[in-house]
Amino acid sequence: MEVAGRWTEVFEGSERQDMSGEEVLLGSSTLTLAPLVADSPSIRRSQPILITANRVKGGGKVESLSSSVPSIPNPFPELCNPSQSPVLIGSFPPPSNDKHLIKVYGEDSHSRSMWVSPAATAREVCHMLVQTAHCSDQENWALIELHPTLGLERCLEDHEVVLEVQATWAIKGDPKILFRKNYAKYEFFRKPVLFFPECMISDSADVTKGMTPAKLIQNLLRSGTCPEIQGFLHVREPNRKTWKRVYFFLRRSGLYCSTKGSSKEPRHLQYVADLEDLNVYTVTNSRKLYGAPADFTFCIKPSRNPIRAQDLKLLCAENEQTRTCWTSAFRLFKHGRQLQCNYQLSTLAPGGPEEPKHTDTKSEASLVAMDFSGKAGGRVIQNPREAQSAEREEGQAWRRREALRCSLPNLSSAARPSSIHRTQLWFHGGVSRKEAQRLIEEQGLVDGMFLIRESQQHAQCFVLSLCYKLKTKHYLVIPCEEGGRKYFTMDDGLTLFIDLLQLVEFHQINKGILPVCLKHPCICVAL
């Protein structure tokens, strides 16, 4: 059917012209078509027409016309509001007014963003990360404040508010929060004698005057109060690259230095810093960054000011034990009994304070050797030589049982391959000796922390890196053959192990040639 000329389709209830003959656009839809003629000189195509909701009368009054077309409701109203659209936000839930977004890094340089409340403490954030990362254990985790450019790092206390710590950061810096293990956070409560040597304890306080260092340490365990610390430290002079050896005193009233040797007279003491508004940081790579005389460097700075290089008070100790003593004393003088409360909370079950953990809190010194070979029951072995002989016999018997179990026909080599150690958390592949020491130092120099790595000097050999008395020792694990079977040994073949997993399980119970049993594996968790 051909349509000639212009025609208009008007819905019912609308008009084309008013009384004056002028065209008026109505509140209804109007469709205009042009004739489909090929040889027509001018072809008018359909154009969009503005549809208004009102029409104007001749008298100037505006009347509202209701269209005959029913309104269609929007089936996706949430897509029209960007603030409530899950498509625009992504995987994050809609933030409420009392939530803030923080970013936490793992040791593999990957990060995880999470919403926390303004009053969220470091202990609460660690508990959230443990649940999110599906960590196998929930103990000894910590948040580390890290400043890579300045080489500074500090373990946040469990009661510190994370957002308040971030508020003190400089805008142009590169600080970040790291999530990792820290076994030494409260180790000075367990072994105070190791952390506070008698030569560094001062008895000049009025309250503790006349008390022996042993009594001062016991006072630390009971009340959480720290004895006064004294000793020589190298201090970097302001605006200069030189270091000077000065005698310092750490008291509850603040940090002092002596202007005349090691004199304690008030006229020779110079006030250095207040402990209430102070944070202590350990310094990494201090020789290269600051020209320190040793690697055992730490620094103090006001806690409320942004971290700047010119505001750092750099101090260097002679060994790791001295540095650990000073940094632990700074924490105790600043936080006092709060640290003891944090330590008590850390010994409770993660589910709540009403459920104590069923862990053995006895030290190795309180354990005794027992002999259960007789019919009358066990007896205590009092002779030290007999106890050592019983320990060797028990280890050899355990090795024979394990070798017999692994040689059974139903236990094929595929059930427990020799490369099973690669799936363990304590195995760190081909890391260097220096890198292994750094990993152990970062997670806390506590007795029994260990890792196993591949030897870089001996082919097909491994190295057991173990921490003992604030030092890292390295033991070579050598492969050997006996009876056509491959074993591993650390004592020239006296004790043999079918794989590294058996070696670790054995030394978690028996010291063997090691100075201490294996206790804490040095692990890295990816967020």
Side-chain angles (χ1 to χ4, degrees):
M1 181 181 66
E2 295 183 358
V3 180
R6 181 181 178 185
W7 66 281
T8 304
E9 180 181 358
V10 182
F11 291 99
E12 182 182 356
S14 62
E15 296 181 3
R16 183 69 183 92
Q17 296 181 348
D18 60 359
M19 297 300 295
S20 62
E22 297 179 354
E23 292 185 359
V24 180
L25 297 178
L26 305 182
S28 58
S29 300
T30 303
L31 180 63
T32 304
L33 298 178
L36 300 177
V37 182
D39 56 350
S40 176
S42 61
I43 300 177
R44 300 184 61 186
R45 302 184 183 276
S46 59
Q47 300 293 330
I49 299 177
L50 178 64
I51 302 176
T52 59
N54 303 326
R55 69 173 180 173
V56 182
K57 290 285 186 178
K61 295 182 179 180
V62 180
E63 282 190 11
S64 176
L65 295 178
S66 61
S67 174
S68 61
V69 180
S71 60
I72 302 176
N74 185 6
F76 305 105
E78 66 277 3
L79 297 180
C80 300
N81 190 355
S83 63
Q84 299 179 358
S85 175
V87 178
L88 299 178
I89 293 180
S91 59
F92 294 106
S96 58
N97 295 331
D98 59 344
K99 294 290 184 179
H100 296 266
L101 186 66
I102 64 171
K103 181 179 290 187
V104 183
Y105 288 82
E107 292 185 277
D108 57 348
S109 299
H110 289 82
S111 63
R112 179 182 292 271
S113 299
M114 55 191 304
W115 296 98
V116 298
S117 62
T121 61
R123 184 173 185 267
E124 296 170 350
V125 174
C126 282
H127 182 68
M128 295 170 59
L129 289 171
V130 165
Q131 301 296 328
T132 306
H134 306 286
C135 300
S136 57
D137 60 331
Q138 302 184 12
E139 305 173 8
N140 303 310
W141 291 101
L143 295 182
I144 309 297
E145 180 187 357
L146 189 64
H147 299 265
T149 304
L150 299 175
L152 307 181
E153 63 178 47
R154 176 179 74 95
C155 178
L156 298 186
E157 305 296 345
D158 289 345
H159 65 276
E160 286 192 84
V161 180
V162 178
L163 292 180
E164 292 181 359
V165 174
Q166 288 185 333
T168 62
W169 292 353
I171 300 178
K172 297 182 180 180
D174 58 345
K176 57 184 178 180
I177 293 180
L178 199 66
F179 176 65
R180 72 179 180 210
K181 284 279 191 179
N182 188 357
Y183 295 98
K185 185 189 296 187
Y186 303 114
E187 191 68 12
F188 52 80
F189 283 114
R190 304 182 184 97
K191 298 180 180 180
V193 179
L194 180 62
F195 283 78
F196 299 99
E198 293 186 2
C199 60
M200 295 185 61
I201 295 179
S202 173
D203 58 348
S204 60
D206 295 335
V207 181
T208 60
K209 186 170 293 186
M211 297 179 63
T212 62
K215 292 182 179 180
L216 291 175
I217 291 178
Q218 292 299 325
N219 192 30
L220 163 66
L221 296 177
R222 289 194 304 267
S223 60
T225 58
C226 181
E228 292 186 0
I229 305 298
Q230 61 185 6
F232 280 102
L233 289 173
H234 294 272
V235 57
R236 188 183 185 186
E237 299 184 14
N239 302 323
R240 299 181 64 182
K241 295 183 180 181
T242 58
W243 293 73
K244 184 179 180 180
R245 194 167 183 259
V246 182
Y247 203 83
F248 283 89
F249 297 90
L250 184 61
R251 301 176 176 177
R252 186 169 300 277
S253 57
L255 178 66
Y256 300 85
C257 67
S258 177
T259 57
K260 185 179 180 181
S262 58
S263 175
K264 299 180 182 179
E265 297 184 13
R267 60 192 180 94
H268 295 151
L269 294 183
Q270 182 180 355
Y271 184 76
V272 178
D274 184 15
L275 302 183
E276 293 296 329
D277 186 26
L278 198 69
N279 282 334
V280 56
Y281 295 82
T282 57
V283 184
T284 59
N285 200 14
S286 58
R287 289 179 181 266
K288 181 179 180 180
L289 293 176
Y290 304 102
D295 294 326
F296 315 106
T297 310
F298 64 99
C299 78
I300 54 177
K301 81 160 210 63
S303 57
R304 301 185 183 276
N305 298 343
I307 294 183
R308 299 180 302 176
Q310 57 268 27
D311 296 335
L312 302 180
K313 190 72 173 180
L314 295 169
L315 304 170
C316 182
E318 297 179 355
N319 51 57
E320 182 62 36
Q321 186 181 27
T322 304
R323 179 173 71 168
T324 305
C325 177
W326 281 100
T327 54
S328 302
F330 272 107
R331 294 173 55 199
L332 281 169
F333 274 123
K334 179 178 180 180
H335 302 290
R337 294 188 60 88
Q338 182 64 51
L339 279 187
Q340 191 179 31
C341 295
N342 294 345
Y343 167 64
Q344 294 173 354
L345 286 176
S346 67
T347 59
L348 300 177
E354 296 80 12
E355 302 178 5
K357 293 191 301 181
H358 300 285
T359 57
D360 187 11
T361 58
K362 298 180 180 179
S363 62
E364 292 183 2
S366 63
L367 302 179
V368 295
M370 299 288 294
D371 180 16
F372 295 95
S373 59
K375 297 182 179 180
R379 68 178 182 89
V380 178
I381 302 178
Q382 298 181 354
N383 189 352
R385 294 185 178 180
E386 184 182 0
Q388 293 179 359
S389 176
E391 181 182 2
R392 287 194 298 267
E393 291 179 0
E394 182 182 358
Q396 294 174 0
W398 182 86
R399 178 179 62 83
R400 288 193 294 268
R401 288 195 303 268
E402 286 293 314
L404 178 62
R405 182 179 65 85
C406 295
S407 63
L408 294 177
N410 58 351
L411 185 61
S412 60
S413 59
R416 190 170 183 175
S418 58
S419 61
I420 190 174
H421 56 269
R422 298 187 178 277
T423 63
Q424 304 301 312
L425 297 176
W426 39 257
F427 184 73
H428 288 255
V431 299
S432 62
R433 180 190 183 100
K434 186 176 181 180
E435 182 70 12
Q437 293 183 176
R438 184 190 66 83
L439 290 173
I440 293 179
E441 289 176 1
E442 287 180 349
Q443 298 193 13
L445 292 172
V446 297
D447 291 350
M449 179 181 291
F450 71 98
L451 63 86
I452 293 183
R453 55 187 174 89
E454 296 176 352
S455 176
Q456 295 183 335
Q457 298 180 355
H458 306 277
Q460 298 182 354
C461 294
F462 299 90
V463 178
L464 171 65
S465 300
L466 174 68
C467 178
Y468 178 65
K469 290 187 177 180
L470 301 178
K471 295 182 180 180
T472 303
K473 301 179 179 295
H474 306 273
Y475 300 88
L476 187 63
V477 182
I478 305 174
C480 62
E481 289 188 5
E482 182 177 317
R485 190 181 182 91
K486 183 179 179 180
Y487 294 95
F488 293 95
T489 182
M490 289 194 304
D491 51 8
D492 297 330
L494 182 61
T495 309
L496 302 178
F497 306 95
I498 60 173
D499 52 31
L500 296 181
L501 180 60
Q502 190 185 58
L503 182 145
V504 171
E505 291 175 349
F506 175 83
H507 288 95
Q508 285 177 336
I509 305 174
N510 307 276
K511 293 190 298 185
I513 66 169
L514 303 178
V516 66
C517 293
L518 304 182
K519 295 180 181 179
H520 310 294
C522 183
I523 64 177
C524 298
V525 175
L527 292 178

